[in-house]
Amino acid sequence: ISPSLVSLTERIAINGREIGQGDFTRIIEDIKSKIDVMLSRGVGHPTEFEIITAAAFQYYYEKACDLVVLEVGLGGRLDSTNVIERPLLSVITPISWDHMNFLGDTLEKIAYEKAGIIKEKGQVLVSPQQESVLAVLKAEAEKKKACLHMGCGDGVKIIEYGLDGQVFDYKGYKSLEIRLLGDHQADNAALAIDAAEILKAEGIAITEENIRAGLKRTRWPGRIEVLSKAPVFIADGAHNPEKVQALKNALLKYFPGNRKTFIMGVLADKDYETMVKEMASMADRFIAITPASPRALPAEKLANYIKFYCKNVSVSDTIEHAVVNSLQNATSDDVICAFGSLSFIGEIKEIISSRFNKRC
């Protein structure tokens, strides 16, 4: 998975357990020796993501994993994870505006890049998409003679929801439990069930009990993650309009009448204007921060834009100051939400854990 929130070792795990530092160091050192050979032959230096991907492949190979789930880093067609010639299943989640400077300036161009993970005579599961996007995916599946499966996006019925998770029905499955918040996470869980059923049909031993247990155990740090309950402090890595819309819908559903403070930081190449417009209508206060990234949008520039939609805006020099300030000025009924990029969510989690441990 990527990106990491706290440590690079988060990206490589087996059965929920991260790769150990010893194994990680050993494998990276071995990869470095291969890179030295590449450079001596005039081959370009691999990117950090390519190195981590290679390390993951080596680790899973050494541990003889039965099944591996790989998250594409960027796009699909040219992504380093896409060297797998024949995956058991390719899964394409909802396609939206993101990484336009790399993937293209239309949804159809982005879809073409994503469709690169569809393999010759392979199987692909596609979540509900806009018609123009679906047309691109179908065309690529037909070209590759791949078997296209459509996810049943409208079959989810949420029965219960709260800060500790939600319960939903899907197809013939009743009272499925997940710890993730937001309607979109129930949809994601449904897509995972669809994937499990396809794998089961291919002979992989997966029972209903496995599905239920897997859903209930799933954690996804930095995705509407509740770090504190009095006041409620939520960390979410939403960094494009679609993800921000999902976050907004969840906040309105879970906290319709609560005062809301937003800690926001973004990368300059993101559509932060649309993101601000989406969230400003329910904001009582914004605190702008600058993520620790060379691609970061300066907090002052972000704050100046937010002022068009919300007058109560301040700038924090550090992420820690933003967290401390938001908590010190909140009542127990308030909601604080940090969003805009995954790049600073790990730091926020560590600040909350170390400085406000009694709140968590």
Side-chain angles (χ1 to χ4, degrees), residues 4 20 41 52 54 76 112 117 129 142 168 183 185 192 238 298 304:
S4 47
R41 295 175 178 174
I52 301 300
Y112 171 73
I117 66 171
Q129 308 281 349
E142 185 176 345
F168 67 97
D183 292 0
Q185 293 293 8
N304 287 336

Side-chain angles (χ1 to χ4, degrees), residues 153-229:
D154 57 355
V156 175
K157 183 180 180 182
I158 297 177
I159 308 300
E160 300 175 20
Y161 65 91
L163 292 187
D164 294 319
Q166 47 191 330
V167 180
F168 67 97
D169 295 342
Y170 180 60
K171 293 181 175 178
Y173 302 92
K174 302 297 181 182
S175 299
L176 296 163
E177 297 180 53
I178 56 174
R179 301 293 177 87
L180 306 177
L181 309 187
D183 292 0
H184 63 293
Q185 293 293 8
D187 292 338
N188 287 339
L191 192 68
I193 293 170
D194 292 336
E197 290 182 340
I198 293 169
L199 294 175
K200 183 177 180 180
E202 289 296 303
I204 305 298
I206 300 174
T207 66
E208 180 175 336
E209 289 72 24
N210 296 150
I211 290 172
R212 289 181 177 277
L215 292 177
K216 192 170 183 177
R217 284 202 305 265
T218 298
R219 303 291 184 274
W220 204 238
R223 278 75 174 181
I224 313 186
E225 183 178 7
V226 178
L227 305 180
S228 161
K229 289 187 177 179

